[in-house]
């Protein structure tokens, strides 16, 4: 009931429980707190594999077990863990903090160069049975932001930072993985900062289901927000969708006290332009249309940049190191063949750093 109240106080329409090694249904607390029909809840869990890495999964069916029949991950690499998660009934699998907070997560352990398939020759070197297959692309979402920590690449520590570049590199290799932010609250901390905006068919609070939420995430129809909301389209296509158009439309909104100073546009993970906002201190920071010069298939991602401290009542952090928003890609069919083709392995030319 405490968690339901903190969710409501944070203004969230939906939340996913991801307790470590437990799949405990919290839905009875909705009726106990009088919030039934106002908040959509999805039952999840954080599969706490120390090696290879922590994994969120949701929504799970309820099972009558003291800990909800948590996924047994012991001695398995990602292929085995992902298979066990799907057998338990979850639909969305999310790879968490694989390279964040200057710690050596799994992509660091695998010494991934962001241009090839992650691999390691000796599984025993990381504590798994010899011959264990470590890597699999069978995950649906990726933790680009963990709480309000920087997702940017620090050139002085490239293996311990750069979740944003990791995620963009997935698309270069043809792997469509939805980028998400995770509050990662513990105890009674307030959830929803940062948060994800997910497109659903009915956006009235409490009127959409956990399945609607999962469908939106699986389709990449979402944006990450650390204070601002971005309505971004190319033609009539939004995040997760394919278009032949190249006209980019932007409408950026936030509280007047939350500054958004410019919008960075990335095409195939290269920074192609920075658009200054017209009124960083207004509710509508920017509303414009700009043609993009695209003659090949491309994925287009936008980020909102600000530097001022958050207003009173919101969490205080270094806003210059955290984007105000990140959109999932809109895919442009530049060669007009009806499909999107990945650009292939490449370095990302992005001028953002912690």
């Amino acid at each position: 009931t405490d968690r339901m109240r903190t969710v409501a106080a944070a203004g969230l329409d939906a939340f996913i429980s991801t307790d470590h090694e437990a799949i405990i249904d919290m839905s009875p607390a909705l009726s106990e707190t009088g919030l039934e029909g106002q908040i959509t809840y999805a039952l999840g869990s954080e599969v706490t594999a120390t090696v290879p890495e922590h994994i969120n999964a949701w929504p799970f069916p309820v099972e009558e077990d003291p800990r909800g029949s948590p996924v047994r991950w012991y001695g398995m690499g990602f292929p085995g863990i992902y298979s066990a998660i799907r057998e338990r009934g979850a639909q969305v699998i999310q790879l968490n903090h694989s390279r964040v907070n200057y710690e050596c997560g799994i992509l660091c352990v695998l010494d991934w160069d962001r241009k090839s398939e992650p691999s390691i020759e000796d599984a025993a070197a990381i504590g798994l049975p010899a011959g264990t297959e470590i890597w699999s692309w069978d995950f649906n979402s990726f933790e680009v932001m963990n709480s309000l920590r920087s997702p940017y690449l620090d050139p002085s520590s490239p293996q311990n930072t750069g979740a944003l570049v990791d995620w963009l590199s997935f698309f270069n290799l043809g792997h469509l993985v939805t980028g998400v932010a995770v509050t990662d609250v513990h105890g009674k901390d307030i959830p929803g900062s940062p948060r994800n905006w997910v497109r659903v068919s009915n956006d009235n609070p409490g009127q959409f289901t956990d399945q609607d939420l999962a469908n939106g995430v699986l389709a990449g129809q979402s944006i990450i927000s650390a204070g601002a909301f971005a309505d971004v389209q190319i033609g009539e296509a939004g995040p997760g969708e394919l278009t032949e158009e190249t006209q980019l439309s932007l409408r950026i909104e936030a509280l007047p006290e939350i500054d958004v100073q410019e919008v960075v546009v990335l095409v195939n993970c290269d920074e192609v332009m920075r658009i200054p906002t017209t009124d960083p201190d207004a509710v509508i920071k920017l509303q414009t249309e700009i043609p993009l010069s695209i003659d090949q298939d491309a994925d287009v991602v936008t980020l909102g940049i600000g530097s001022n401290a958050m207003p009173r009542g919101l969490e205080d952090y270094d806003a210059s190191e955290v984007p105000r928003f990140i959109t999932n890609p809109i895919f442009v069919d530049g060669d007009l063949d009806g499909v999107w083709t990945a650009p292939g392995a490449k370095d990302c030319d992005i001028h953002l750093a912690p």
Side-chain angles (χ1 to χ4, degrees), residues 268-319:
N268 286 342
C269 86
D270 293 334
E271 184 178 317
V272 298
M273 67 176 70
R274 291 197 177 208
I275 307 166
T277 55
T278 52
D279 198 343
D281 300 320
V283 171
I284 300 175
K285 317 293 185 180
L286 176 68
Q287 185 164 358
T288 189
E289 293 191 1
I290 297 175
L292 297 175
S293 179
I294 296 176
D295 58 5
Q296 62 177 346
D297 286 4
D299 56 269
V300 180
V301 171
T302 62
L303 296 86
I305 306 300
S307 61
N308 295 341
M310 298 295 278
R312 183 178 179 181
L314 297 180
E315 185 172 347
D316 187 24
Y317 64 95
D318 187 349

Side-chain angles (χ1 to χ4, degrees), residues 47-123:
V47 180
T48 321
T50 51
V51 177
E53 196 54 81
H54 294 183
I55 303 159
N56 279 357
W58 62 281
F60 282 102
V62 176
E63 287 194 7
E64 297 300 326
D65 176 271
R67 295 185 67 85
S69 300
V71 174
R72 304 291 178 175
W73 51 264
Y74 317 108
M76 295 191 292
F78 284 128
I81 297 172
Y82 294 162
S83 177
I85 289 172
R86 297 199 187 281
E87 288 178 8
R88 176 61 180 81
Q91 298 178 48
V92 181
I93 295 177
Q94 174 181 304
L95 181 56
N96 286 350
H97 29 268
S98 58
R99 182 152 42 197
V100 72
N101 305 338
Y102 290 87
E103 297 175 358
C104 193
I106 186 61
L107 292 178
C108 167
V109 169
L110 298 178
D111 195 26
W112 189 45
D113 62 4
R114 300 182 170 95
K115 292 187 288 186
S116 60
E117 295 294 306
S119 65
I120 189 171
E121 293 183 1
D122 184 10

Side-chain angles (χ1 to χ4, degrees), residues 230-295:
D231 184 0
V232 179
Q233 293 183 305
I234 299 177
E236 296 184 356
E241 297 178 327
L242 178 69
T243 181
E244 296 179 355
E245 303 295 324
T246 58
Q247 187 80 357
L248 175 68
S249 64
L250 299 163
R251 180 184 171 96
I252 312 304
E253 303 178 23
L255 292 173
E257 297 85 356
I258 298 177
D259 70 316
V260 183
Q261 298 170 359
E262 57 186 357
V263 175
V264 178
V265 181
L266 307 176
V267 176
N268 286 342
C269 86
D270 293 334
E271 184 178 317
V272 298
M273 67 176 70
R274 291 197 177 208
I275 307 166
T277 55
T278 52
D279 198 343
D281 300 320
V283 171
I284 300 175
K285 317 293 185 180
L286 176 68
Q287 185 164 358
T288 189
E289 293 191 1
I290 297 175
L292 297 175
S293 179
I294 296 176
D295 58 5

Side-chain angles (χ1 to χ4, degrees), residues 181-204:
V182 176
T183 308
D184 207 10
V185 299
H186 295 87
K188 297 179 182 177
D189 298 339
I190 297 298
S193 183
R195 67 185 60 187
N196 303 284
W197 295 89
V198 181
R199 183 176 178 180
V200 293
S201 58
N202 182 347
D203 66 354
N204 290 316

Side-chain angles (χ1 to χ4, degrees), residues 130-170:
T132 300
E133 187 178 358
I134 305 298
W135 184 257
S136 169
W137 288 104
D138 187 27
F139 59 99
N140 311 107
S141 59
F142 179 75
E143 184 187 68
V144 178
M145 283 178 58
N146 174 274
S147 194
L148 291 166
R149 303 180 179 96
S150 174
Y152 300 145
L153 175 68
D154 183 347
S156 69
S157 186
Q159 285 289 18
N160 295 330
T161 63
L164 173 64
V165 180
D166 289 335
W167 174 59
L168 296 171
S169 297
F170 295 165

Side-chain angles (χ1 to χ4, degrees), residues 203-222:
D203 66 354
N204 290 316
Q207 300 304 306
F208 59 92
T209 67
D210 57 354
Q211 185 63 60
D212 295 326
L213 200 64
N215 290 344
V217 171
L218 291 170
Q221 297 179 328
S222 67

